[in-house]
Structures are given as structure tokens and as C-alpha cells.
Amino acid sequence: MILIRHLSQVATPVGTAAVRGSAMRSLHVIDRAAIVIDEGRFVFVGPESEVPKELRIAEDIDARGGTAIPGFVDTHTHLPFAGTRESEFNRRLRGETYEQIAASGGGIASSVHATRSASEEQLVENVLARADTMARYGTTTAEAKSGYGLDKACELKQLRALKRASERSPVRLVPTCLAAHEFPPESRGSTAARDGWVSTIIGEILPAVAEAKLAVFCDAFVERGVFTREQGEDVLRAARALGMTPRLHADEFTDSDGAALAVSLGAASADHLMQVSDRGIAALAKSNTVANLLPGTSFFLMSDRYAPARTLIDAGAIVSLSTDCNPGSSMTESMQIVVQLATLQMKMTVEESLTAATLNGAYSLGLANETGSIEPGKRADLVILDAPNYLHLVYHFGVNLVRVVFNGGRLTVDG
Ligand SMILES: [Zn+2]
């Protein structure tokens, strides 16, 4: 057994279900706390003075007055990509538009080109490098999407790379097939070509992904100029029939009624939601589809349009938070900055943000029984912050507060 003592605080949401509304503000906070881990799970969480004497402690860790929170659960990332786009970002700063950059071969097309050219081994190494950064910033579980292959072979290559990386990753990875991320460069010319790509996804890619058990979830980007509502619905219904649970990139740049579509499909999450309508908010509030907000994307695109987090929470929707880690619009692995943006830009409280970044994320991945909170019985996915209390997570912004991380009881970061 491992004893972690001399914690100034443990701060965690509680339970094995999603938390919504005003309940998102109530964390369980224990001062002068200790935690005991056995066989990868929490067996005691409470005041240090109450640690049962009979426990056989093999390892004793002094937390030196740090604060324990659950490991972050990042439920929207595009990890298995090759190539980065920093020059394009600098061109945007100099005034070029996204359309001009795309017309000169930049944008998502450049990521597709680089990812197609990369070997599976390179993608494995890329995923592991990013997972290592995620772990150092406190993430213990992350969803990861394909979607830069945009042909059958390369979509499968991305998902196989995720599977291989999972065996060595310090972060637990949950794979999603996002073949419906965009139309491949070679299929953009006509409506028939675009429909052909949707048919390829449904008829060839999804069955191969299901056969090889390479994805738990299937996602689609329903947006003006990308996939129509009908195309997104066809892809996600086909995926569901093959055993994959839908997620949806919804209402990011325009209101496409994506939130209501996600709810009607029983999707695990509707993601982005910067332009979600009142109707969409009402639909989410009455459902178990998680409103997954990605404020790093608004921040990095220098937009003043953030998802209406306050309205969603006050209406009763389940809200989670993610990095959207990707080479174009949100190149960060840090859930700490996401929590900071959620509070400082979207006006969520620190308690709501921590709940959204842990337990509600776990719920959207179907893992709320296993992770997302610090409670006896759950997997010991745990972060120790170099901070006297959880409020420092936002108050002391822009630095890495993570000192120690346990993933399933295994020490993965030891600062
Ligand atoms: Zn995305």
C-alpha cells in the first residue's frame, strides 16, 4: 500500500455519475488530508489523523503541503497527427486570412499531407511525446481522434498508432474515429465526390475500424462548408450500428442545430458549441449528452466568442472541458490553461471548472465508475499540485503547478 500524507488539501467532485447545475459547485474538500492506494485503487481518503493504523504501508510519500485533485480527463484531442503549423499561425498574426492560407496549401490540408506521409512508428512517437506532456500537466485520461488521414489506410494507421501508443503511454487513451473530420483534398471537387467520401466512411472505413476494434467512439464535424446535418447523421448512425458511440463537433462557427442533433443521436458529447442556440441549450439541459467546451480554441483563434458556459450550467446541462489539442486551432496539452480560460473567459467558478475537467469528462467517456474523483474504490488517478489549496489552480495561472501524478496507482510524474 502507498500512503500519501501531509496533503494540505484534497479537493474532488464526488460520485460515479455526471454532475450538473448548482451541484457542480460543491466539491468535497478535506484539509490536512491523507490518501492510501492499494492495487491501483484508492482505499482511504480522509483526514491524516484518521488513517487506519492497521494498514500495511509499503511506501510512504510526503506531499509537502501540496493539494490533491483527480487527474484531468481531456475528452477532445486530435493527438495522432504529424507536422505542425506555427508559420501559418504567424501569417495570421500578420493579417492573412484563413482562406488565403488554405488556398496556398496550408490549413488542415497541410496536416493531412504530413500525416499521410508519416509512418505509423512516427505517429506512435508523436502520440507518446504529447501524452508525456499531458501527463506532466496533470492529465491521466485522454480521448484521441483520427481525422487527418482522410483515406481508409491513413485513418486506420492513425488509430493503430493510438492503440500501440496506449501500451506505453503515461496517459490512458480512449480512441475515436473522426474520418468525418473534413473531405479529403481529392474529394472536394463536386457534390458527387463529397457524397462518395461519406459512402467510403460508412461502407469501408467504419466496418474496418469496428472489425479491428480500433475505436470506442465515432465523431463527425457538422458545420457549414463541411458535413451537412444529414451526412453527419448517416455516419454516426452507421457507427452506432457497429458498436461505436457518437460524439459530435457541433455549432462551432455557425449554429447548425448540432447540439439538438447530438442529443437526438444519443451522443456522448456535443463539442465546441460557441454558436449553440437557445433550442440547443434546452435540448442539452434535458439530456445526458455532455456539453464539452474547448475554450483554448477561442483563445488561440483570437476570437471573443466563447461557448455560453454560464447559460449551459444554469440551464442544467452537463458541462465538461477539453484542450482540443490539434496543430491548427489549439496547440496545447495543458488542461490547466483550459481550466484558467474556463474561469477567466467563460466565467465558470473554479469548482465548476474542476468538476467539468475531471468527473464530467470521465462520464462522457463512460468511465465515471472508474475515474474522475478521489474516492475509495476508484482508480488511483491523482495529481498533487504544488499549491496550498485548489483555488491556486486558477489564482496562480500560467505556470505548471503539477508536481506528482499517479495513474492507476502508478507514479507517472514525480517532480
Ligand atoms: Zn476537434
Side-chain angles (χ1 to χ4, degrees), residues 43 68 80 92-93 97 102 146 151 194-195 223 241 267 296 305-306 341 377 391 412-413:
V43 293
R92 275 201 290 128
L93 287 175
T97 65
S146 67
D151 63 35
R194 293 160 84 92
D195 287 342
E223 182 62 60
R305 185 85 181 202
Y306 284 79
L341 292 171
L391 292 172
T412 50
V413 175

Side-chain angles (χ1 to χ4, degrees), residues 8 38 53-54 65 70 74 81 96 105 126 156 162 186 193 196 253 258 264 278 280 284 292 295 328 345 399:
S8 68
D38 189 30
K53 298 280 178 291
E54 67 276 15
D74 186 351
F81 62 86
E96 281 187 69
N126 290 354
L156 290 169
L162 275 175
E186 58 277 10
F253 300 114
S264 74
D278 290 346
L284 286 165
N292 190 27
Q345 299 291 86
V399 299

